[in-house]
């Protein structure tokens, strides 16, 4: 079984440039947010992850899954290959079962946290487009984390990776290219009725991951990285106690309130906010009083982080 999964991994993930991913690349990542959320993270030592269906780019997930499944069912060579191997019905049934299982068991508790790759020199004052879009139009804060401090575990339920930016046409072409390679691999492995379900599950998981880590190329300047929690990878449901909710303008939303503290099997023994947090940049529209008050907040709530605060010097005044 493991040999089959390994054999399927190459054609499904061969497009990923490992030099641009953890652990070979360990960038600083900025989380642009409100000062209120900054306080919640500092005081509560929690990072809240959101369900992608409640995010403003939820259509990206729908696009990847819906068009991906449509492309699979329309791929003639894949269908012919499965028919020749006498497992077409089993393959399509297993694929549809994966989709239904995701909807019924995993969609609610799949969670995402979004960051922007941070260059300590070029982005020393933060990035203006990010202040406008996610940092309260300059009145928020950017929390910079150091991924060099992350202990990457292959069994972790989290996947941390950069977002791929593509046009609609490029994404559809990518799906068909993966299907071509996947089909060739099925032929080589001589897949049968007994193991075609594993192949279908591997294909669906790749499609899901690509959907969660891709966006329209119009957002490319965000240089986004995502931390995604996959509940089906959390076999012991270690994080289930952190499943929670938040009541916002749109109603009740599911949240994963991830505690920034050591967690056996998930993080290193010395994992925590003090180690992970590189710096905090206060947005450019804060007045002198607000700046001093934010420093006091850190001195009172988390003295070890007070000397990591700086203020953006970008001369930005929102209209």
């Amino acid at each position: 079984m493991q040999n089959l999964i390994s054999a399927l991994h190459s054609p499904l993930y061969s497009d990923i440039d490992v030099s641009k991913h953890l652990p070979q690349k360990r960038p600083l990542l900025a989380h642009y947010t409100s000062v209120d959320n900054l306080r919640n993270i500092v005081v509560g030592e929690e990072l809240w992850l959101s369900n992608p269906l409640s995010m403003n780019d939820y259509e990206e997930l729908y696009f990847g899954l819906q068009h991906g499944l449509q492309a699979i069912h329309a791929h003639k060579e894949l269908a012919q290959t499965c028919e020749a191997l006498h497992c077409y019905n089993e393959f399509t049934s297993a694929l549809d079962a994966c989709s239904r299982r995701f909807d019924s068991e995993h969609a609610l508790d799949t969670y995402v946290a979004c960051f922007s790759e941070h260059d300590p020199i070029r982005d020393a004052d933060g990035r203006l487009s990010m202040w406008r879009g996610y940092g309260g139009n300059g009145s928020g804060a950017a929390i910079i984390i150091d991924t060099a401090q992350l202990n990457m575990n292959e069994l972790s339920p989290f996947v941390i990776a950069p977002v791929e930016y593509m046009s609609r046409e490029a994404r559809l072409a990518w799906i068909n290219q993966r299907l071509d390679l996947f089909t060739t691999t099925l032929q080589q492995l001589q897949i049968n009725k007994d193991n075609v379900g594993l192949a279908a599950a591997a294909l669906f998981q790749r499609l899901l991951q690509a959907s969660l880590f891709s966006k329209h190329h119009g957002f490319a300047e965000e240089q986004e990285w995502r931390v995604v929690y996959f509940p089906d990878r959390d076999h012991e449901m270690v994080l289930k106690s952190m499943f929670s909710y938040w009541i916002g303008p749109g109603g009740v939303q599911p949240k994963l309130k991830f505690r920034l503290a050591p967690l056996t099997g998930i993080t290193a023994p010395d994992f925590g906010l003090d180690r992970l947090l590189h710096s905090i940049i206060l947005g450019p529209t804060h007045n002198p009083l607000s700046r001093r008050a934010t420093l006091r907040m850190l001195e009172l709530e988390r003295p070890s982080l007070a000397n990591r605060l700086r203020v953006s010097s970008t001369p930005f005044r929102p209209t």
Side-chain angles (χ1 to χ4, degrees):
M1 181 183 299
Q2 190 59 44
N3 289 339
L4 174 61
I5 294 174
S6 298
L8 290 167
H9 187 275
S10 179
L12 291 176
Y13 294 87
S14 60
D15 59 304
I16 292 180
D17 184 350
V18 295
S19 67
K20 298 180 180 179
H21 284 241
L22 292 171
Q24 291 194 27
K25 183 175 182 179
R26 290 187 172 272
L28 296 176
L29 299 178
H31 180 60
Y32 289 81
T33 187
S34 66
V35 173
D36 187 45
N37 282 338
L38 166 64
R39 181 187 179 279
N40 290 337
I41 292 171
V42 168
V43 175
E45 295 187 76
E46 291 181 338
L47 178 65
W48 290 14
L49 285 76
S50 301
N51 187 287
L53 297 179
S54 68
M55 297 165 62
N56 57 10
D57 53 358
Y58 70 93
E59 292 182 358
E60 305 290 341
L61 175 61
Y62 273 127
F63 179 94
L65 287 177
Q66 290 181 346
H67 286 274
L69 291 172
Q70 290 172 6
I72 292 171
H73 286 289
H75 198 279
K76 293 181 179 180
E77 187 176 355
L78 175 57
Q80 292 169 354
T81 294
C82 289
E83 288 174 349
L85 295 170
H86 309 292
C87 60
Y88 179 72
N89 289 336
E90 289 78 6
F91 172 75
T92 55
S93 295
L95 186 68
D96 292 339
C98 287
S99 180
R100 291 194 301 271
R101 189 179 307 116
F102 174 74
D103 286 338
S104 63
E105 299 178 15
H106 302 313
L108 176 67
D109 290 313
T110 296
Y111 295 103
V112 177
C114 302
F115 296 83
S116 178
E117 187 168 337
H118 181 81
D119 185 299
I121 298 176
R122 186 186 63 240
D123 301 324
D125 288 310
R127 202 173 307 126
L128 188 53
S129 60
M130 298 301 292
W131 286 126
R132 286 172 168 153
Y134 304 96
N137 205 23
S139 68
I143 302 170
I144 316 300
I145 69 165
D146 184 0
T147 60
Q149 303 303 322
L150 291 174
N151 179 37
M152 297 304 298
N153 185 332
E154 291 183 359
L155 300 179
S156 170
F158 292 101
V159 173
I160 305 172
V163 167
E164 295 291 333
Y165 296 98
M166 293 182 282
S167 66
R168 174 189 175 92
E169 294 73 22
R171 280 183 284 180
L172 292 174
W174 177 89
I175 292 171
N176 283 309
Q177 183 184 47
R178 291 304 103 197
L179 292 178
D180 291 343
L181 294 172
F182 179 77
T183 300
T184 299
T185 303
L186 293 188
Q187 296 168 346
Q188 295 170 345
L189 296 175
Q190 290 293 294
I191 293 291
N192 56 55
K193 293 180 179 180
D194 295 329
N195 56 24
V196 73
L198 288 174
L203 179 59
F204 181 83
Q205 188 63 32
R206 179 65 181 110
L207 182 63
L208 174 61
Q209 184 167 328
S211 300
L212 287 165
F213 286 96
S214 64
K215 290 180 72 171
H216 190 274
H217 61 84
F219 295 95
E221 68 175 16
E222 293 180 356
Q223 301 177 51
E224 184 176 348
W225 281 62
R226 287 184 172 179
V227 178
V228 179
Y229 169 80
F230 290 92
D232 58 321
R233 292 169 60 101
D234 191 359
H235 302 295
E236 303 300 324
M237 296 305 291
V238 176
L239 271 67
K240 187 175 182 180
S241 63
M242 302 181 196
F243 294 174
S244 190
Y245 66 92
W246 174 71
I247 302 176
V252 183
Q253 297 179 12
K255 293 287 182 180
L256 172 61
K257 298 181 179 180
F258 180 64
R259 288 190 291 275
L260 299 172
L263 190 61
T264 303
I266 305 294
T267 66
D270 59 352
F271 178 79
L273 181 61
D274 282 5
R275 183 177 180 86
L276 188 63
L277 193 144
H278 174 273
S279 56
I280 301 168
I281 306 174
L282 202 59
T285 65
H286 284 270
N287 60 46
L289 181 62
S290 174
R291 298 171 187 175
R292 293 170 63 186
T294 303
L295 177 60
R296 174 178 291 179
M297 177 186 76
L298 293 174
E299 290 172 339
L300 291 172
E301 302 289 359
R302 197 81 176 195
S304 59
L305 302 182
N307 64 353
R308 305 184 203 183
L309 178 69
R310 64 178 308 276
V311 180
S312 173
S313 63
T314 300
F316 171 59
R317 294 295 177 268
T319 55

